[in-house]
Amino acid sequence: MERIKKGDIVGRISYGKDVLFKIEKKVKTDTRRSSNIKGTN
């Protein structure tokens, strides 16, 4: 499985990729990883 990186376009799989988002920033702490996303149109 490929890792998601900054600039990638992702969608909500559970909703059939109805809304697309662009990964703006990746955030990593000691206990979790998350990403800041921005909606696209």
Side-chain angles (χ1 to χ4, degrees), residues 12-26:
R12 303 185 307 177
I13 294 173
S14 59
Y15 287 89
K17 298 181 183 175
D18 63 337
V19 178
L20 298 177
F21 301 93
K22 181 177 181 182
I23 304 295
E24 293 287 317
K25 181 180 179 183
K26 296 204 54 174

Side-chain angles (χ1 to χ4, degrees), residues 1-18:
M1 178 186 281
E2 293 184 34
R3 294 284 183 188
I4 296 171
K5 55 191 172 304
K6 183 179 176 183
D8 284 353
I9 304 293
V10 298
R12 303 185 307 177
I13 294 173
S14 59
Y15 287 89
K17 298 181 183 175
D18 63 337

